[in-house]
Amino acid sequence: MVVRENLKETQLNKTKTERGLVLFALIVSVIVLIFTLLGHFVYFNVKVVGSSMSPTLYGGTLNNANGDLLFANKLIEPKRGDIVIIALDGEKDWIIKRVIAVEGDVVDIYGGYVYVNGNKIEEPYANNYGGTEELFWEEYTLQKGEYFYLGDNRKHNASKDSRASGKPCSREEIIGVVENWSIAVKNVIREIIYLPQNILGLFS
């Protein structure tokens, strides 16, 4: 009698364990599916290279091999102040810049500052604030679907942006918007990704 009860209890525990494992596998599968779908239809990742978005984003050292890794949303409409990924027509590489003005805005640069609709904009994120050069940019009213973009690093020749080209980009050329959560966790992500590399460096 005792043996049968122990056998039943063992079988019951085995069944619970099996159900638990099946449930765990199901949950993991759902999570993987969700991230796969998000990665395919919503998000893509991009690594920061260079110093054009300094100090907001880190472009890496060691031949730009350890820059910030960001996640960009394909579905969000860009707005003023957003950091975006731009694939300029005819250019091979993507660029990462900040949207300063959108369609309908009048943009001008003089005296080291950017003016949108006649108002000097405050840019606490900018490196060398007050030293923004106009380069090839002249006062212009952005047309439908046009965006004026700049790098946060405003030092001389530090960023190839709307000033350098003398023109805005189109909505079609903006392929993703970097959300605030991605910027907030970028340091943690960078430390995790480059941890093995940093450890190996201690023994080299």
Side-chain angles (χ1 to χ4, degrees):
M1 196 66 182
V2 175
V3 174
R4 288 183 178 178
E5 289 179 356
N6 289 339
L7 184 59
K8 286 182 179 180
E9 185 175 348
T10 301
Q11 290 176 338
L12 182 61
N13 290 335
K14 183 180 179 181
T15 301
K16 287 182 178 179
T17 301
E18 290 174 347
R19 287 177 179 173
L21 290 173
V22 170
L23 181 60
F24 176 75
L26 181 61
I27 292 173
V28 170
S29 298
V30 171
I31 292 174
V32 170
L33 177 61
I34 290 173
F35 275 94
T36 300
L37 291 174
L38 285 175
H40 185 72
F41 295 106
V42 183
Y43 290 100
F44 64 95
N45 65 73
V46 60
K47 187 176 71 174
V48 181
V49 176
S51 61
S52 70
M53 284 299 292
S54 174
T56 307
L57 302 177
Y58 179 64
T61 56
L62 302 173
N63 297 320
N64 298 317
N66 58 341
D68 287 333
L69 182 67
L70 305 174
F71 294 89
N73 191 315
K74 302 176 184 178
L75 306 181
I76 293 179
E77 284 297 313
K79 60 183 185 300
R80 295 187 196 94
D82 281 345
I83 293 176
V84 297
I85 313 301
I86 305 173
L88 291 174
D89 185 34
E91 295 290 333
K92 177 182 176 181
D93 299 321
W94 299 346
I95 59 175
I96 305 175
K97 304 296 176 185
R98 187 184 297 273
V99 171
I100 303 298
V102 300
E103 62 180 65
D105 288 339
V106 180
V107 185
D108 199 6
I109 302 173
Y110 57 88
Y113 296 96
V114 181
Y115 292 79
V116 177
N117 301 323
N119 301 311
K120 182 176 75 174
I121 62 172
E122 299 297 325
E123 299 184 280
Y125 45 77
N127 188 3
N128 198 35
Y129 178 64
T132 301
E133 299 173 293
E134 62 269 26
L135 300 180
F136 297 103
W137 185 264
E138 298 180 354
E139 181 178 333
Y140 177 74
T141 301
L142 295 172
Q143 303 303 304
K144 182 176 178 60
E146 290 185 335
Y147 294 79
F148 176 78
Y149 62 95
L150 294 177
D152 286 357
N153 191 349
R154 304 296 168 75
K155 291 184 177 180
H156 182 65
N157 286 335
S159 174
K160 294 180 180 179
D161 45 40
S162 285
R163 299 170 302 156
S165 65
K167 59 183 181 181
C169 70
S170 67
R171 174 64 186 90
E172 290 73 24
E173 291 174 313
I174 296 179
I175 59 175
V177 176
V178 179
E179 296 181 89
N180 290 333
W181 68 263
S182 180
I183 298 173
V185 302
K186 64 184 178 63
N187 291 336
V188 176
I189 293 176
R190 188 175 69 244
E191 290 300 321
I192 293 173
I193 291 176
Y194 299 116
L195 180 60
Q197 177 180 307
N198 295 335
I199 292 175
L200 288 174
L202 294 175
F203 297 96
S204 61

